[in-house]
Amino acid sequence: MSEEITNPAESSTNGEGPTHSGFVALIGATNAGKSTLVNRLVGAKVSIVSHKVQTTRAIVRGIAIHNNAQIVFMDTPGIFKPRRRLDRAMVTTAWGGAKDADFIMFLIDSERGLKGDAATILEGLKEVHQPKILVLNKVDRVNPEDLLKLAAAANEGVKFERTFMISATTGSGCEDVMDYLATELPEGPWYYPEDQISDLPMRQLAAEITREKLFLRLHQELPYSSHVETEKWEERKDGSVRIEQVIYVERDSQKKIALGKNGDAIKAISTASRKELSEILEQTVHLFLFVKVRENWGDDPARFREMGLEFPKS
């Protein structure tokens, strides 16, 4: 199995006119729907989704082809007021991703509007000089008059090239976003092969999928101090793959939560992760999960490198 995720779908390029390519950074408050939107626009799962906030920790790049354009979406961690070292690393990564992009897409949860972190991000965008578009998500849940007021308020503070109203869940309005970006991104050759949909190594994606299942199962019980690493990946002669992963927690009490009564929790997490990995890899997956205590892993520079984050000095 290749170490890169590839999309078996045929290229959408029509072979006419110049090609376009570029990077689009999605930024927004936690749980604005960035990961759901990236998966929708790419047409495949490249970023994990959870109702637990701050799920995305590092930048995940999803690659989409639309008409003659290759659009590289950068799903950044949600921006929020940091409290821990890991929080600071995530917020720094998010702003860094924005400043490295050709276009910035500011995603707002229309139900929450410009409250809290969203207002802080809007203020921060004044210092970012790349072209920006405003995307109001979950518009199917909000009165049209309120949507217009929200769009007007956001555009008062920052100059947005365009405003889009979408639902990342249903796909409504997403085609308009793709049409716009495909024509506005710079002309130039594509950065990646046309069948590649992410630059995330398969080992890392597998760990992310297990972390998603961990959060989905234990979001009310297990704190953020958990991390998943793929320690072994063995392609077997019968065409299957054996994957061994370790879930790291900081305390014995957290280990008991991750295992669950009679091992019920870890079994359910393993089953859900194995099922999704088998579908993505299109081969039989033998997944073995282990839970280990690693005290204060959130202060270990090696763990930050593993997650693709820069270790904050303080």
Side-chain angles (χ1 to χ4, degrees), residues 200-265:
L200 197 66
M202 201 61 234
R203 286 170 175 261
Q204 191 175 340
L205 176 68
E208 286 289 277
I209 287 173
T210 298
R211 186 163 67 91
E212 176 190 60
K213 307 311 176 191
L214 180 73
F215 280 170
L216 290 173
R217 171 80 184 194
L218 302 171
H219 69 281
Q220 293 181 328
E221 303 159 79
L222 195 67
Y224 288 100
S225 48
S226 57
H227 174 57
V228 181
E229 292 183 13
T230 300
E231 295 206 335
K232 186 175 182 180
W233 186 291
E234 179 188 353
E235 297 285 349
R236 307 180 72 171
K237 292 181 179 179
D238 62 1
S240 65
V241 58
R242 176 189 173 95
I243 303 172
E244 294 182 10
Q245 295 178 330
V246 177
I247 299 171
Y248 288 104
V249 295
E250 290 190 317
R251 295 188 294 275
D252 283 323
S253 59
Q254 296 169 1
K255 180 177 180 178
K256 293 177 182 178
I257 292 173
L259 291 172
K261 186 177 180 180
N262 299 321
D264 289 346

Side-chain angles (χ1 to χ4, degrees), residues 159-202:
K159 179 187 176 184
F160 291 102
E161 305 296 326
R162 287 280 299 273
T163 297
F164 296 91
M165 299 186 183
I166 70 154
S167 168
T169 301
T170 67
S172 174
C174 291
E175 189 77 6
D176 294 335
V177 176
M178 295 293 281
D179 287 343
Y180 177 78
L181 291 173
T183 57
E184 293 300 318
L185 285 174
E187 288 188 16
W190 292 352
Y191 290 97
Y192 298 93
E194 64 183 75
D195 61 349
Q196 187 173 327
I197 63 171
S198 177
D199 67 347
L200 197 66
M202 201 61 234

Side-chain angles (χ1 to χ4, degrees), residues 22-143:
F23 292 82
V24 178
L26 272 74
I27 67 169
T30 56
N31 262 10
K34 296 184 299 299
S35 296
T36 301
L37 181 56
V38 167
N39 292 340
R40 166 70 63 177
L41 298 178
V42 172
K45 185 166 185 176
V46 295
S47 190
I48 71 171
V49 178
S50 169
H51 46 273
K52 193 176 181 72
V53 298
Q54 301 155 28
T55 303
T56 301
R57 286 177 173 169
I59 292 177
V60 177
R61 294 176 181 85
I63 305 161
I65 295 174
H66 189 74
N67 298 331
N68 281 354
Q70 185 178 76
I71 310 168
V72 184
F73 292 101
M74 304 161 66
D75 181 13
T76 62
I79 297 175
F80 56 99
K81 186 176 180 179
R83 297 180 178 85
R84 308 162 299 167
R85 191 189 296 269
L86 177 60
D87 296 344
R88 292 194 296 275
M90 290 163 60
V91 171
T92 299
T93 296
W95 280 117
K99 293 175 181 177
D100 288 340
D102 296 292
F103 248 92
I104 294 173
M105 184 186 299
F106 178 33
L107 192 65
I108 296 179
D109 180 335
S110 298
E111 288 186 296
R112 286 186 284 173
L114 285 173
K115 298 178 181 177
D117 294 328
T120 302
I121 296 168
L122 187 65
E123 188 66 25
L125 283 174
K126 295 178 181 179
E127 306 301 320
V128 180
H129 303 297
Q130 284 92 331
K132 295 170 278 288
I133 60 174
L134 174 66
V135 178
L136 304 184
N137 190 24
K138 307 178 185 178
V139 296
D140 50 326
R141 305 179 186 179
V142 180
N143 183 289

